[in-house]
């Protein structure tokens, strides 16, 4: 059972968890989700699945069940073998109750180098995948993504503009954004000032090694966050931080 231990100690049923992890009724709300070992690793052998715990999987599912769109970097999508969203009946019922589209599209960010045209996130997605890229990506590659069913948006010259990508999603009516990594995408979102919420699961593992941290990119002045809630199942710790910006 997942319990909230801050700001108020209480047990949480499914309805209360939904209310805690739902997105505000803002035109744009971007929540970033990560799982980390206690020593800060976000992957084991390049994948996060080995760190995920039962409690983490519950909040991970809430994140994409309640979102308009799932945003991630191409490297993460390819490494995790991501094939897009396929809600089971509980997830489909949840989306119906919250007035959401039956299936949330996936939006992938790439400069072109890390997203082959036949990536499963494009070819196996149940609804068209959105690809955000830059003008430097070869036209042939952009055309190949589109030929395989993706909706391709050029948002930047030599790099993808995180600010323009998010603005495009909002303009498309996809303002409740669930970002699932990777670190360079998270770093670019931080630098652009568009992150509203950071959801972090601290899993009960020590990993060591050279695994990456949650955010990579240029240095910024530290952005102070506000702690919104702390949950635990007696093993993992589930943190929600808000960015007052």
């Amino acid at each position: 059972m997942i319990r909230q231990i801050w700001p108020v100690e209480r047990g949480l049923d499914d309805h209360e968890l939904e209310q805690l992890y739902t997105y505000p009724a803002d035109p744009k709300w971007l929540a970033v989700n990560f799982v980390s070992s206690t020593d800060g690793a976000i992957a084991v052998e390049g994948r996060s699945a080995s760190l995920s715990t039962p409690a983490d999987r519950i909040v991970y599912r809430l994140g994409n069940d309640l979102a308009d769109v799932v945003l991630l970097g191409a490297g993460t999508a390819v490494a995790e073998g991501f094939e897009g969203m396929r809600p089971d009946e509980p997830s489909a019922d949840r989306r119906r109750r919250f007035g959401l589209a039956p299936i949330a599209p996936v939006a992938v960010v790439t400069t072109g180098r890390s997203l082959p045209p036949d990536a499963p996130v494009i070819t196996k997605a149940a609804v068209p995948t959105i690809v955000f890229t830059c003008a430097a990506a070869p036209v042939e590659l952009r055309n190949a993504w589109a030929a395989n069913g993706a909706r391709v948006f050029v948002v930047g010259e030599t790099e993808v503009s995180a600010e323009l990508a998010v603005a495009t999603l909002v303009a498309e009516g996809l303002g409740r954004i669930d970002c699932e990594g990777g670190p360079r995408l998270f770093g670019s979102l931080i630098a652009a000032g568009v992150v509203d919420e950071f959801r972090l699961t601290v899993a009960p593992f020590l990993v060591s090694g050279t695994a990456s941290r949650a955010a990579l990119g240029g240095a910024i002045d530290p952005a102070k966050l506000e702690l919104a809630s702390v949950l635990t199942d007696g093993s993992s710790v589930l943190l929600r931080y808000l960015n007052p910006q």
Side-chain angles (χ1 to χ4, degrees):
M1 178 181 178
I2 295 179
R3 294 186 57 80
Q4 180 174 287
I5 57 176
W6 194 91
V8 177
E9 187 168 350
R10 57 178 177 145
L12 297 172
D13 59 23
D14 290 346
H15 173 73
E16 290 166 324
L17 278 169
E18 286 180 345
Q19 296 305 311
L20 192 64
Y21 280 88
T22 194
Y23 295 75
D26 294 41
K28 188 276 290 181
W29 189 268
L30 192 154
V32 179
N33 287 274
F34 270 91
V35 59
S36 164
S37 67
T38 56
D39 58 334
I42 62 164
V44 177
E45 296 181 346
R47 300 188 64 189
S48 62
S50 297
L51 293 173
S52 187
T53 63
D56 175 63
R57 287 188 284 276
I58 289 171
V59 299
Y60 171 88
R61 185 170 181 172
L62 284 166
N64 47 57
D65 279 358
L66 297 172
D68 291 318
V69 62
V70 176
L71 175 67
L72 69 166
T76 297
V78 172
E80 300 285 347
F82 201 66
E83 298 181 359
M85 310 310 300
R86 286 180 172 77
D88 57 16
E89 185 50 42
S91 291
D93 174 69
R94 179 177 284 152
R95 294 186 67 82
R96 281 193 297 268
R97 287 189 286 106
F98 279 82
L100 299 165
I103 301 175
V106 175
V108 182
V109 174
T110 179
T111 57
R113 295 182 293 270
S114 55
L115 186 66
D118 61 351
V121 71
I122 293 176
T123 61
K124 295 187 177 182
V127 296
T129 293
I130 296 168
V131 176
F132 288 118
T133 191
C134 56
V139 173
E140 297 81 3
L141 184 56
R142 286 185 256 156
N143 290 340
W145 291 328
N148 283 341
R151 301 177 63 206
V152 181
F153 294 86
V154 176
V155 287
E157 293 300 319
T158 59
E159 299 290 337
V160 175
S161 165
E163 186 174 8
L164 286 177
V166 170
T168 300
L169 291 176
V170 174
E172 291 284 315
L174 303 172
R176 289 167 286 199
I177 305 167
D178 173 37
C179 178
E180 298 181 357
R184 294 196 181 281
L185 174 57
F186 187 17
S188 70
L189 295 169
I190 293 172
V194 294
V195 175
D196 299 292
E197 182 177 348
F198 181 37
R199 300 170 177 177
L200 175 65
T201 298
V202 181
F205 304 109
L206 292 173
V207 174
S208 190
T210 58
S212 179
R213 59 187 291 177
L216 294 174
I220 64 167
D221 291 335
K224 184 174 175 57
L225 304 179
E226 296 177 354
L227 184 62
S229 65
V230 182
L231 280 59
T232 184
D233 64 349
S235 177
S236 303
V237 178
L238 313 168
L239 304 167
R240 289 176 53 248
Y241 284 97
L242 303 182
N243 185 0
Q245 302 187 45

